[in-house]
Amino acid sequence: DAGVTQSPTHLIKTRGQHVTLRCSPISGHKSVSWYQQVLGQGPQFIFQYYEKEERGRGNFPDRFSARQFPNYSSELNVNALLLGDSALYLCASSFIQGNNSPLHFGNGTRLTVT
Amino acid sequence: AQSVSQHNHHVILSEAASLELGCNYSYGGTVNLFWYVQYPGQHLQLLLKYFSGDPLVKGIKGFEAEFIKSKFSFNLRKPSVQWSDTAEYFCAVFSSGGSYIPTFGRGTSLIVHP
């Protein structure tokens, strides 16, 4: 079985630009969540989507948005990029929304903002 | 808001040494607790989890963790580490019920010398 796939693996953007990151969950998983991991820190929760609806949101500005498609894949969009947005962005999928459904992580997208 | 503290940021051990990584959380309600591991060059993966019942839970590769509710702790242990246990370890707390906001600790980097 294919795991969670994220694209692109690496990305370099300039301040002020916008970026779209993509995630395909494990087949059969209906929940996707997004995390930002800054060097030396643990993953910080951004969004969770289940059945195409936002079910949870972390403490991130409105420049961050996401959506989930009918095939359960997901996009994370970040507008007006700042240098501080440079990080590894992780996507995780789970079978159901519940808190006891283990997360399966992708390898992440490394975003560098210059 | 819930928070997770991992007190050991860097741990260096020799093979066969015993391991204990600390994890404390702050949250007044019911929680689900996880340890995730990230081996070099790989994605985050679940090591073990606690939802309810026996507070001593066993995970993969000989790891175990004990939930002590009175201490708000969920420490990870292994009696005898191997070189292949070299990895980054993350404790995570998911609040049970209410909104979906998972919180990860900042991680502990474990290096095991052969």
Side-chain angles (χ1 to χ4, degrees):
Chain A
D1 269 345
V4 176
T5 57
Q6 292 187 242
S7 62
T9 55
H10 295 84
L11 203 53
I12 300 174
K13 289 286 189 178
T14 305
R15 273 183 304 175
Q17 287 187 315
H18 72 272
V19 67
T20 297
L21 311 180
R22 295 177 176 83
C23 172
S24 293
I26 291 173
S27 178
H29 285 192
K30 298 182 178 181
S31 175
V32 169
S33 51
W34 287 94
Y35 301 81
Q36 181 194 68
Q37 187 175 18
V38 176
L39 195 64
Q41 300 293 323
Q44 187 173 359
F45 172 71
I46 309 176
F47 287 111
Q48 193 227 10
Y49 277 77
Y50 177 69
E51 289 287 10
K52 302 178 285 297
E53 291 188 7
E54 182 182 305
R55 300 301 180 110
R57 184 183 183 110
N59 188 24
F60 279 81
D62 292 343
R63 299 185 297 108
F64 289 76
S65 63
R67 54 180 176 169
Q68 187 178 31
F69 299 99
N71 65 354
Y72 302 108
S73 66
S74 177
E75 284 182 353
L76 175 70
N77 295 284
V78 186
N79 294 324
L81 285 166
L82 304 174
L83 295 179
D85 294 331
S86 295
L88 180 68
Y89 288 85
L90 297 169
C91 172
S93 74
S94 58
F95 181 61
I96 58 175
Q97 179 200 356
N99 292 331
N100 58 359
S101 185
L103 300 174
H104 298 261
F105 285 87
N107 287 327
T109 294
R110 173 74 62 188
L111 172 65
T112 302
V113 182
T114 62
Chain B
Q2 62 196 30
S3 64
V4 178
S5 295
Q6 290 184 243
H7 309 297
N8 316 102
H9 298 156
H10 300 279
V11 175
I12 301 174
L13 296 172
S14 298
E15 276 193 321
S18 64
L19 170 72
E20 180 160 2
L21 301 182
C23 173
N24 287 90
Y25 67 93
S26 65
Y27 182 71
T30 305
V31 294
N32 295 327
L33 300 160
F34 302 80
W35 276 95
Y36 283 85
V37 60
Q38 186 169 27
Y39 298 104
Q42 298 186 26
H43 58 267
L44 276 161
Q45 55 189 285
L46 181 67
L47 197 56
L48 49 78
K49 59 185 184 291
Y50 172 80
F51 299 150
S52 63
D54 189 346
L56 184 63
V57 292
K58 296 188 184 300
I60 60 172
K61 303 186 179 184
F63 285 91
E64 64 179 32
E66 184 176 12
F67 170 54
I68 303 180
K69 188 174 181 180
S70 61
K71 295 185 178 181
F72 298 90
S73 70
F74 190 54
N75 292 354
L76 180 70
R77 299 195 292 249
K78 186 171 184 179
S80 177
V81 295
Q82 299 173 316
W83 174 78
S84 58
D85 293 325
T86 295
E88 191 90 16
Y89 292 82
F90 296 92
C91 180
V93 173
F94 286 38
S95 56
S96 182
S99 60
Y100 179 98
I101 307 265
T103 303
F104 283 77
R106 62 175 292 176
T108 296
S109 174
L110 172 66
I111 296 175
V112 180
H113 290 299

